[in-house]
Amino acid sequence: MNTTILASTVWLTLLLAVGLFFFIRASVKDRIQQVKLASPETEESLLNQLKQYFYQRAYQVVAVDAATNQVTFQGIVRASWFMAIFLTVLAACGILCLSLVLSILFPTLTKVFLGLVALAPAAGVFYWKKAERLEQVSLKLESASTQAPGDQAAAEQCLVIVTGHRDELIQLQQSLKLKPLS
């Protein structure tokens, strides 16, 4: 086999292995964001909707600051079976590819390299242990008036500043049909 082809194959496989490692590590990373969402509802009505939404998602109120109109919810985020299985399969494919390339370089150790595939479930176990965690979502309600161009009357709307996990914010926005502010 051509040594140039073999060297480039080993190099690309090692790069893919590094990428896979960081992908598995990133699967448990906190992705906290803050978004501003607008609603035509009154503050009281919107707060009741938000409380109901978070209670349905197994969050509980842990702090209320009446002075700043801020509420903090806390709940346990569960690990996903799909993601654990997906990461295990992905790790198995990555280790198998690396094993095959290393087997070409060191043919006498082929069985040892192929045996490394048995380490793949460690990726799923890593995700499963790290993904389940206590998470907080912080809400701050404000009143805001907007005026459309050419319109004399200003429309009252409620502004919600939400800080929490990116996926939770997306779900909240879709469920309550809140509009993001730029």
Side-chain angles (χ1 to χ4, degrees):
M1 182 176 268
N2 188 343
T3 57
T4 307
I5 293 172
L6 188 59
S8 65
T9 303
V10 169
W11 177 245
L12 289 174
T13 305
L14 289 175
L15 284 176
L16 288 172
V18 169
L20 176 63
F21 171 77
F22 283 107
F23 180 77
I24 292 169
R25 223 177 98 209
S27 69
V28 296
K29 181 181 175 191
D30 280 339
R31 289 174 178 80
I32 304 298
Q33 289 183 340
Q34 184 177 45
V35 294
K36 293 181 181 181
L37 304 170
S39 173
E41 306 275 335
T42 64
E43 279 187 38
E44 187 176 317
S45 171
L46 182 59
L47 183 59
N48 288 334
Q49 285 180 6
L50 290 167
K51 282 182 182 177
Q52 183 66 28
Y53 169 80
F54 283 111
Y55 286 144
Q56 288 174 350
R57 295 188 55 85
Y59 281 81
Q60 297 175 349
V61 176
V62 291
V64 177
D65 187 0
T68 60
N69 221 9
Q70 188 168 346
V71 180
T72 303
F73 293 92
Q74 183 172 299
I76 294 177
V77 176
R78 305 253 183 252
S80 163
W81 277 102
F82 171 78
M83 191 65 165
I85 293 169
F86 175 70
L87 289 173
T88 300
V89 170
L90 205 60
C93 290
I95 294 171
L96 180 64
C97 290
L98 182 62
S99 297
L100 291 175
V101 170
L102 291 174
S103 294
I104 294 170
L105 288 174
F106 308 104
T108 58
L109 298 173
T110 299
K111 290 182 182 178
V112 173
F113 293 137
L114 291 177
L116 292 176
V117 176
L119 296 174
V125 170
F126 169 78
Y127 168 77
W128 194 258
K129 287 187 176 186
K130 299 277 186 172
E132 188 168 317
R133 62 184 172 272
L134 203 57
E135 199 154 297
Q136 289 190 341
V137 176
S138 178
L139 306 170
K140 184 175 181 181
L141 296 172
E142 297 176 353
S143 292
S145 59
T146 58
Q147 188 170 356
D151 190 10
Q152 298 298 328
E156 279 295 316
Q157 68 178 11
C158 189
L159 179 68
V160 184
I161 302 169
V162 187
T163 305
H165 192 275
R166 179 186 65 188
D167 297 336
E168 189 65 50
L169 298 180
I170 292 169
Q171 186 69 33
L172 171 69
Q173 193 175 337
Q174 291 172 349
S175 295
L176 298 182
K177 303 200 181 2
L178 300 171
K179 305 287 183 219
L181 293 178
S182 355

